[in-house]
Amino acid sequence: MSQSLKRLFRWVYLTYLILSALILSLLGAYLLYLGGSIYYLITGLALVFIVRSLIKRDKTVFKVYGALLILSLLWALYESDSQFLSLLPRIAMWMVLSVVLFLPIWKSKSNDSDRFPGIQQHKHWLLAPLVLSVVALVVVASLGYERGQDFSRSIINNNSDTQLNWPQYGSTSKGTRFSNAQQITTENVADLKEAWRFRTGVADDFKMTPLQIDGTLYICGAKNIMIAIEDNTGKELWRHDPQVIAPAEHQYAKTCRGLTYVEVDSLDTLGLCKTRIVTGTVDARLIAVDAETGQICQDFGDGGSVNLRKGMGDHAIDEYYLTSPPLLAHDKLIVGGLVLDSQDLGLPSGVVRAFDAKTGEFVWAWDLGNPDSNGEPEPGLEYTRGTPNVWTIMSYDAELDLIYAPTGNASPDYYGGARRDFDDQWSSAIVALSGDSGKPVWKFQTVLHDIWDYDLPAQPVLVDVTRDGVDVPAVAVPTKRGDVFLLNRKTGEPVSPVEYKAVPQNPEKGEYLSKTQPFSSLPDFHPYRYEKDMWGLTPLDQLLCRVEYKMMRYEGLFTPPTVDGSFQYPANFGGFNWGSVSVDADNGLLIAAPMMLGNRVRLFTPEQVAEAGPRAALLLGKNHPVVRMDPESPIPEPREPDPNDPFDHTQIKYYGLTLPFMSRFYFPILGFTQVPCFEPPWSQLAVIDLNTDQLVWRRAVGSMKDSGPFGWRTGLPFQVGTPIRAGTMTTRGGLTFISSTMDSTVRAFDVETGELKWAEDLPGSGQATPMTYVSTNDGKQYLIVTVPNPSWIYPRDPKTGTYTDSRSTKDGKGGFVIAYALEDAIE
């Protein structure tokens, strides 16, 4: 190497050390002032001494560098809790900077060792810390994943079902996402190969889990385009485009999560549409088509469709529509609806309605603001506006004739000072409704006065468990906050104990809070995030995240939103979301795949938004405009305070904003490095024994191969636990499948041990829960995975500001339906 290159390299190295020393010293002092760790100030000052010593050619530099590396290693071991991905970035930068000192660039001449203390003379001061660091990393990396109780599955215990098809969104009306198929097992799953793939011709959103009945797969793409294909070949049989008008261009306004299969009495229908496929559309209709031909069922509703806007009053088309499949409850179709998450009051009703599955005629309504009436509103009237809604998938117990409806919360999401008594009474609750009348039978609230957008997003899962030798019919309720509540599905009483614990108080003016919130005794996924959990790729961005963490209000779960900013963990997207959980119905095991990400939450007053005017989007965050920011939106008259009520009901309105808590490096809103500000895992796969309330195992799921800093695809195999878009599917073959991690991979795990048994690359990141069936055409078991085109990423693409992956190949052929089967079964 030439002398000029050596000098350049030395000055680049010294410049980096100088900048690091300044950042670590100044921000380290500020972090200490905020009550944080002293480590960064110490390292900053040590770097100042190291830079000074290198410039002055002081031989003590190597001793100080070695001491800094030892200090960093000890500190990292203390803070990392024996987690490899927590330990690595805490010491990697110091290891790399140390190795640079082994290079021969520090000699100006070949015999210049007297002028500068070369590493050849003093390497022992750095070799020992380097070796210890490598050993620590190797040891921690070999520790594996967390194991709980010993467990051994049985093949058939309390579940005698032999169904091998997949006729409903969650396999059955119970939402178990469990298949009795067992051709594919833990012993042979490694032999799975792609059998066929089908391209939908429909771009954009593709979140649906297909149905499979009598040799046919039924799928729906964006804008409710329905397609039937042969289940063993992928050959298209028919297609129906209902010509819906999407209420907006974002992905949620195009979503079709699933379809509903209905059989009706052929004598009453004269052989027409004996079997039908029903979709709830994003332009608020129920549409029924013949399952055999895809033709409209003219005897359903008005020429094949039911207008769900009836009785909803005046509203914008993006304020109410359907994204989830109707629930079939005996002979009725049950629908809720997506009500726009907004800053406004007076949005459309969250009413739940039932329609005759054969004729489409109205049967009953549950309007929680008008509990004495189960009919349609009189002419000129409408269902109660702005009530908590049911936007996600419901479940049904046919024996009890009970519908399990997970409710949301009333808008605005992050300010509840203007909520009505019945809003608080029914929000964020699992409600058991009578299938016959729609009347509530029981309810259980998972959040009291929800101002965190912790509405219930997931399909309740009906599973039988054993307690004290007695079989108990239970319903598992996954929540955004990362808890799972296990309740008796007859009565709503907790099967696993629930404790009401004190939670943070002192909200913003005009807000009121519950003093306690319910906590499940089942293993949870909302660990308290301490300062030591703040994470980054180097100590520099770790420090920045720690400073930001200390500047926000955070007192654990249920920290109220504030005008100065609060840390919300888990974030408003979970915890759990619409993908829900699956169960091993034979053994009472719950298989969970929660996200473990956080948000900044900040409240803005109407005056701030009005003052910002057209610049409101900048005030509230680039690419994160608050929808409908009109400060003149109506606010109900204040309620008169009850002298016996400790809450202040003064009506002050706020607009809420949430942003992912990323490493920003002082760049606005989303990060310079685009990595979360707290350590992995950011999602997990876990198994809980519902008979004992004990954890069987848990592990991170999803690698860094398709992600990294600055939006790079690093190709690294580290299991950081990527964001998960959907849920798990479990089989009697002892396997759990997941295909919606953000690393474009489908995986199979051994339910009993957590061991990864099979993985296959996908053409993009999936959005849906996989499914499986045994084809009646050839008797073979198939695994089905769907993938959108273009694909999706998290966080938002830095180039487009959306969740659409600009790196995904947009070839105009639409989403993928990919079938896998055992290699020896593929012709």
Side-chain angles (χ1 to χ4, degrees), residues 720-736:
V720 294
T722 62
I724 294 173
R725 300 287 291 181
T728 59
M729 182 269 294
T730 301
T731 74
R732 185 166 282 169
L735 294 164
T736 281

Side-chain angles (χ1 to χ4, degrees), residues 4 10 45 154 203-204 223 237 264 298 341 421 426 517 542 574 583 616 626 638 680 757 784 797 806:
S4 59
R10 287 199 297 265
L45 296 176
S154 60
D204 299 323
K223 299 183 180 180
L237 300 175
V264 297
Q298 295 293 335
D341 278 344
D421 290 338
W426 295 100
Q517 294 286 355
Q542 292 162 23
V583 294
V626 170
K757 306 296 289 188
I784 299 294
D797 190 299
S806 63

Side-chain angles (χ1 to χ4, degrees), residues 699-713:
R699 61 179 296 166
V701 57
S703 74
M704 291 182 66
K705 73 182 182 72
D706 281 350
S707 60
F710 314 105
W712 296 337
R713 292 188 173 183

